[in-house]
Amino acid sequence: MAIFEGMLLLNERRSVVDYGQRLLTHGLTRGTGGNISILNREQGLLAISPSGMDYFEINPEDVVVLDLEGRIIEGKRRPSSEADMHRMVYNGRPDIAAVVHTHSPFATALACTREAQKNGLPPIHYLTALAGPSVRCIPYYPFGTEVLGQAARVGMEGRFAVLMGNHGLLAAGPDIRYAFNVAEELEFVCELYCHARTAGTPTLLSEEDMRVAMERFRVYGQKA
Ligand SMILES: [Zn+2]
């Protein structure tokens, strides 16, 4: 382990490796799709998964460290092609310190529909409240571009997630555990929504229902 000593953001890099593998084992992405980053706000640096590498072959030293202007500070690999999107989300959001991007099947299927691109994911299930009162969906923009990153940042305002038209899902949170949970639970809600729409007309929760659910999530779970 001695070779790891002195590496910037070692804990964050290890978490990027760990949660990258969970993207596959939890069915949230396939192949090398999706990407993860964790921000260390004190140091103003983020650790991000490398571009196009098998998640089970990534080691901490393959994770790339960037500053918030996108400069590579440490790492021999190329950073994820969506690095601009990740760092744009961090700008102006002191409540976000981890970002998870997936191509999970139901969220992505929904993001391919005109209905979702017009209305987003409506509040059909209380778990949506992990992300906010509802989840918006941005139009399609080419992957890996700044214009996509800007649109995602705006789409995520006041939320911890946004659907990306004809592309996938972007989830975020105050730490990687929360961000990953948002990605996983929203995939579940999108699956429910697809099933509910084939079974009938989904009943939407009210603004008050969602406000109460968001409040309950604030006090739910184990204290750190
Ligand atoms: Zn993508």
Side-chain angles (χ1 to χ4, degrees):
M1 299 300 281
I3 60 163
F4 292 149
E5 282 170 21
M7 255 176 30
L8 290 168
L9 304 195
L10 180 55
N11 287 338
E12 288 85 351
R13 289 190 200 213
R14 284 179 170 148
S15 289
V16 168
V17 171
D18 177 21
Y19 280 89
Q21 293 177 3
R22 292 191 207 194
L23 281 180
L24 285 172
T25 57
H26 291 229
L28 294 180
T29 203
R30 294 180 197 188
T32 62
N35 31 72
I36 289 178
S37 73
I38 300 174
L39 175 68
N40 183 316
R41 203 169 280 282
E42 272 175 22
Q43 297 188 41
L45 299 174
L46 61 112
I48 189 163
S49 47
S51 180
M53 271 189 82
D54 186 313
Y55 283 108
F56 283 94
E57 290 179 0
I58 297 175
N59 290 306
E61 63 265 34
D62 298 311
V63 176
V64 185
V65 174
L66 305 177
D67 66 15
L68 284 168
E69 280 73 53
R71 288 182 290 252
I72 296 178
I73 302 301
E74 195 171 84
K76 57 188 187 306
R77 303 287 184 185
R78 280 175 46 227
S80 160
S81 54
E82 298 294 2
D84 281 342
M85 178 169 72
H86 285 248
R87 64 184 184 80
M88 281 177 189
V89 166
Y90 291 127
N91 283 323
R93 287 294 297 265
D95 55 335
I96 292 178
V99 173
V100 174
H101 168 49
T102 74
H103 297 165
S104 54
F106 285 95
T108 306
L110 201 58
C112 290
T113 66
R114 290 182 190 178
E115 288 81 0
Q117 289 182 23
K118 188 160 168 251
N119 303 317
L121 171 66
I124 59 147
H125 193 281
Y126 75 89
L127 281 169
T128 311
L130 286 168
S134 63
V135 178
R136 303 183 189 101
C137 183
I138 58 171
Y140 175 76
Y141 297 98
F143 74 91
T145 58
E146 281 198 26
V147 62
L148 171 63
Q150 285 294 0
R153 187 186 63 75
V154 172
M156 206 188 267
E157 274 174 11
R159 312 278 193 279
F160 282 129
V162 64
L163 289 165
M164 301 158 61
N166 304 82
H167 185 149
L169 172 71
L170 193 63
D175 55 42
I176 183 62
R177 212 170 134 188
Y178 193 97
F180 190 89
N181 194 37
V182 170
E184 188 162 40
E185 298 294 13
L186 278 189
E187 171 62 9
F188 171 64
V189 174
C190 289
E191 181 173 4
L192 286 183
Y193 187 50
C194 291
H195 291 319
R197 285 193 58 157
T198 41
T201 305
T203 305
L204 302 190
L205 297 174
S206 68
E207 280 182 26
E208 176 63 8
D209 292 331
M210 293 304 288
R211 192 192 61 73
V212 171
M214 287 168 71
E215 184 58 35
R216 290 190 65 78
F217 276 131
R218 266 192 276 277
V219 294
Y220 167 83
Q222 306 290 326
K223 293 273 174 278

